[in-house]
């Protein structure tokens, strides 16, 4: 039973924790980071953790663009084709909505550039990786927390573009920003 509970705790978002009956939940005050609305919960939790660590180190980091609706991505795609002259050239910088990881809530664009550089150096602690060599701002969950990020792709045209499947939510990480909700467990709970 304990092993089962420990495993189930691993699947909870970083903003949740299990507590024994009669125990008190950690009362943290900050919520999920701004710009995480609509993102895959694992990505939102990982970015919230990373942003809190960056802030603790005096580094400014924020999401410029996260989740995008189909219509928003379609407008960006059409603008990209008009700007770059062809779909092939546009694909280096923007993808159609059927292929965009922003539409599936699996990608974030961050700023400012020094914050993105910090995230590129440290993001793997939460599974966050820069994906494209030509986009210093674009990050996705691409490894397990603490794992090694994959090699950069030259640009967005270099991959098959099926949206990534939802990933497991990372376990509670130390230094977590966000209120914790208590989930009681025990006999009769």
């Amino acid at each position: 039973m304990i092993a089962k509970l420990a495993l189930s705790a691993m699947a909870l978002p970083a903003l949740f924790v299990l507590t024994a009956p009669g125990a008190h939940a950690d009362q943290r005050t900050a919520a999920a980071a701004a710009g995480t609305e609509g993102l895959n919960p694992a990505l939102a939790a990982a970015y919230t953790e990373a942003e809190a660590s960056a802030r603790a180190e005096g580094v400014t980091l924020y999401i410029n663009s996260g989740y995008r609706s189909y219509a928003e991505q379609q407008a960006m795609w059409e603008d990209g084709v008009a700007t770059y002259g062809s779909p092939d050239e546009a694909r280096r910088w923007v993808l159609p909505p059927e292929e965009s990881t922003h539409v599936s809530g699996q990608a974030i664009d961050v700023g400012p550039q020094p914050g993105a550089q910090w995230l590129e150096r440290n993001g793997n602690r939460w599974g966050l990786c820069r994906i494209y060599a030509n986009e210093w701002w674009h990050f996705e969950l691409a490894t397990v927390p603490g794992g090694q990020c994959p090699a950069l792709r030259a640009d967005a045209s270099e991959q098959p573009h099926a949206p990534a499947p939802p990933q497991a939510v990372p376990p509670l990480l130390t230094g977590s920003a966000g209120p914790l909700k208590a989930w009681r467990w025990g006999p009769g709970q």
Side-chain angles (χ1 to χ4, degrees):
M1 179 77 169
I2 296 296
K4 185 176 180 181
L5 287 171
L7 289 175
S8 67
M10 296 292 286
L12 292 174
L15 302 179
F16 294 84
V17 68
L18 292 173
T19 61
H24 298 285
D26 185 351
Q27 297 299 315
R28 298 181 185 151
T29 57
T36 59
E37 302 81 11
L39 294 178
N40 170 282
L43 176 57
Y47 175 79
T48 297
E49 295 281 344
E51 183 185 86
S53 288
R55 185 175 45 254
E57 292 181 30
V59 176
T60 300
L61 180 64
Y62 51 79
I63 294 176
N64 280 321
S65 182
Y67 168 78
R68 297 181 194 143
S69 71
Y70 187 97
E72 290 169 323
Q73 189 68 29
Q74 181 66 35
M76 290 179 75
W77 169 246
E78 291 170 5
D79 183 58
V81 171
T83 299
Y84 297 107
S86 73
D88 286 343
E89 279 302 306
R91 292 180 80 77
R92 295 186 61 231
W93 302 98
V94 62
L95 293 172
E98 300 83 11
E99 301 172 25
S100 172
T101 51
H102 286 279
V103 173
S104 63
Q106 303 291 330
I108 54 175
D109 293 345
V110 302
Q113 192 165 8
Q117 291 167 335
W118 180 93
L119 190 59
E120 185 172 5
R121 286 190 309 273
N122 295 284
N124 71 309
R125 291 167 35 196
W126 303 275
L128 294 165
C129 299
R130 180 176 163 202
I131 301 299
Y132 307 122
N134 70 329
E135 294 186 8
W136 55 261
W137 54 85
H138 184 97
F139 289 80
E140 299 178 16
L141 281 178
T143 188
V144 296
Q148 184 175 356
C149 288
L152 292 175
R153 297 180 207 136
D155 56 53
S157 70
E158 200 176 281
Q159 66 174 352
H161 301 292
Q167 297 189 18
V169 176
L172 181 67
L173 302 171
T174 43
S176 173
L180 299 175
K181 295 186 180 176
W183 292 84
R184 305 277 179 213
W185 59 271
Q189 301 297 320

